[in-house]
C-alpha cells in the first residue's frame, strides 16, 4: 500500500511485470525506432513521445511518455506504479498513453518506476528496498517490508525519477497505489486537486498515515517539500475492474489534472 506524507503525486499500477515491457516494445515496433538512450526523446506514434529516464537495478529501462501540449501552462505527471505488487495504476497509465488525444496540459506518464518489482510482483525493488521509503525527506533507516535502503536516494530507480521530476517542474504529480481505496487527505498541499481526484475517480477522501504517524522517505513528501507543485497519493482498491481503470479512471485522472480529451 502507498502511504504518503502531504501528497499530490499519482501513482498508477495494474499489470504484471511481463505485461509492462510490451508497452515500450510494441510502440517502438510500430514506429520502427530503437530504444532511446537516457535523456533522449523519441516519437513513438501519433501525439506520443517516449523518453528513457533511467534503468532499474536489473537494468530494465524506465520510460516516461509525453502527450498533450508541451507548450501548455500546466505540466502534470502520472506515476502508475512504485510498488510492483500494486498493479492497478499501470493499467491506468497504459490506457492514458493509448488515448493520446489529450489537450490543455503538458502530460507525462511513467507506467512504472519499479520494473523489477513489477516483473517479480514484489513491493520492493530487486535489492529489497521499498522505493517509497528511499526519498530524501524525513528519511530514517528502516528494515523489513518498508526497507528504506542504506541512505536516501540509494536506489537507481529513485534517482532516475528524482532527476526527471526536478527537470519537468510539474504542477501536479499523481501517484497510484493499492489497496487502501481513497485519495489521501492527510496534510494535502492542494485541496482542490484532492477534491477533483476524489470526484472524478469516484473515491473517498482518506488520511493515509503511517504507523508512527509520520511517513518517512516518501516521494510525495519529498516533492511537496522541494517543489512548488503538488503531489498526491491515490489508492485503488484491491481488485478494481479493467473497465473502471481504462474508462472512468483514465478519463478522470486527465480531467483532475486539468486536461481534457478532444
Amino acid at each position: 500500500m502507498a502511504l504518503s506524507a502531504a501528497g499530490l503525486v499519482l501513482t498508477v499500477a495494474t499489470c504484471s511485470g511481463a505485461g509492462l515491457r510490451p508497452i515500450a516494445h510494441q510502440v517502438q515496433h510500430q514506429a520502427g525506432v530503437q530504444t532511446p538512450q537516457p535523456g533522449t526523446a523519441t516519437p513513438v506514434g501519433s501525439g506520443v513521445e517516449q523518453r528513457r529516464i533511467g534503468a532499474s537495478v536489473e537494468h530494465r529501462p524506465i520510460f516516461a511518455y509525453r502527450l498533450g501540449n508541451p507548450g501548455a501552462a500546466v505540466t502534470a505527471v502520472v506515476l502508475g506504479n512504485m510498488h510492483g505488487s500494486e498493479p492497478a495504476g499501470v493499467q491506468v497509465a497504459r490506457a492514458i498513453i493509448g488515448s493520446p488525444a489529450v489537450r490543455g496540459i503538458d502530460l507525462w506518464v511513467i507506467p512504472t518506476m519499479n520494473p523489477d518489482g513489477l516483473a517479480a510482483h514484489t513491493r520492493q525493488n530487486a535489492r529489497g528496498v521499498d522505493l517509497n521509503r528511499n526519498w530524501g525527506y524525513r528519511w530514517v533507516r528502516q528494515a523489513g517490508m518498508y526497507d528504506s535502503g542504506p541512505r536516501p536516494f540509494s536506489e537507481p530507480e529513485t534517482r532516475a525519477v528524482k532527476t526527471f521530476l526536478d527537470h519537468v517542474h510539474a504542477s501536479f504529480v499523481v501517484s497510484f497505489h493499492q489497496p487502501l481505496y481513497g485519495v489521501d487527505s492527510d496534510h494535502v498541499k492542494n485541496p482542490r486537486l484532492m477534491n477533483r481526484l476524489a470526484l472524478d475517480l469516484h473515491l473517498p477522501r482518506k488520511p493515509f498515515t503511517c504507523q508512527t504517524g509520520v511517513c518517512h522517505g516518501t516521494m510525495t513528501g519529498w516533492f511537496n517539500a522541494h517543489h512548488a507543485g503538488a503531489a498526491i497519493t491515490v489508492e485503488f482498491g484491491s481488485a478494481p475492474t479493467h473497465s473502471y481503470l481504462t474508462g472512468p479512471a483514465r478519463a478522470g485522472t486527465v480531467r483532475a489534472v486539468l486536461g481534457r480529451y478532444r
Side-chain angles (χ1 to χ4, degrees):
M1 69 187 157
L3 298 172
S4 72
L8 208 64
V9 174
L10 247 69
T11 305
V12 186
T14 305
C15 66
S16 68
L20 178 64
R21 284 171 292 186
I23 298 175
H25 176 75
Q26 179 181 2
V27 175
Q28 291 165 20
H29 177 74
Q30 290 172 349
V33 300
Q34 300 298 315
T35 300
Q37 295 302 308
T40 63
T42 302
V44 293
S46 177
V48 180
E49 172 191 299
Q50 179 193 66
R51 188 181 297 269
R52 185 180 185 273
I53 63 172
S56 67
V57 171
E58 294 181 341
H59 309 295
R60 289 182 173 92
I62 300 170
F63 290 108
Y65 295 84
R66 190 180 202 177
L67 51 157
N69 178 11
V74 173
T75 298
V77 176
V78 171
L79 175 58
N81 173 282
M82 186 181 298
H83 296 135
S85 57
E86 300 172 8
V90 175
Q91 266 195 53
V92 179
R94 295 171 84 178
I96 293 172
I97 295 166
S99 305
V102 175
R103 304 186 72 176
I105 58 172
D106 183 14
L107 179 61
W108 290 91
V109 181
I110 304 172
T112 183
M113 65 172 285
N114 186 7
D116 296 346
L118 194 61
H121 199 66
T122 59
R123 177 184 177 91
Q124 301 83 5
N125 73 351
R127 286 203 283 243
V129 174
D130 182 338
L131 298 179
N132 207 28
R133 300 294 182 271
N134 190 236
W135 295 76
Y137 178 73
R138 292 184 172 177
W139 181 91
V140 297
R141 186 69 180 99
Q142 300 178 77
M145 179 178 178
Y146 305 110
D147 192 316
S148 61
R151 61 190 179 279
F153 302 113
S154 63
E155 305 310 296
E157 299 94 340
T158 313
R159 293 194 301 271
V161 176
K162 175 187 183 298
T163 299
F164 174 79
L165 291 174
D166 283 339
H167 177 74
V168 300
H169 302 295
S171 303
F172 309 126
V173 180
V174 178
S175 179
F176 287 128
H177 293 261
Q178 286 176 273
L180 298 182
Y181 190 69
V183 178
D184 191 10
S185 63
D186 183 44
H187 296 93
V188 290
K189 188 174 184 180
N190 188 326
R192 290 183 178 179
L193 177 60
M194 174 192 67
N195 289 330
R196 290 197 301 269
L197 285 166
L199 177 65
D200 292 334
L201 297 178
H202 314 298
L203 293 171
R205 301 162 187 81
K206 291 183 179 179
F208 297 139
T209 57
C210 297
Q211 292 179 342
T212 62
V214 177
C215 294
H216 296 281
T218 66
M219 186 265 288
T220 55
W222 169 83
F223 185 89
N224 287 324
H226 291 89
H227 288 269
I232 193 166
T233 294
V234 172
E235 291 264 358
F236 293 116
S238 58
T241 66
H242 176 78
S243 61
Y244 164 74
L245 294 171
T246 59
R250 171 192 60 85
T253 298
V254 170
R255 191 161 53 245
V257 294
L258 303 183
R260 64 187 187 277
Y261 283 105
R262 292 174 188 162

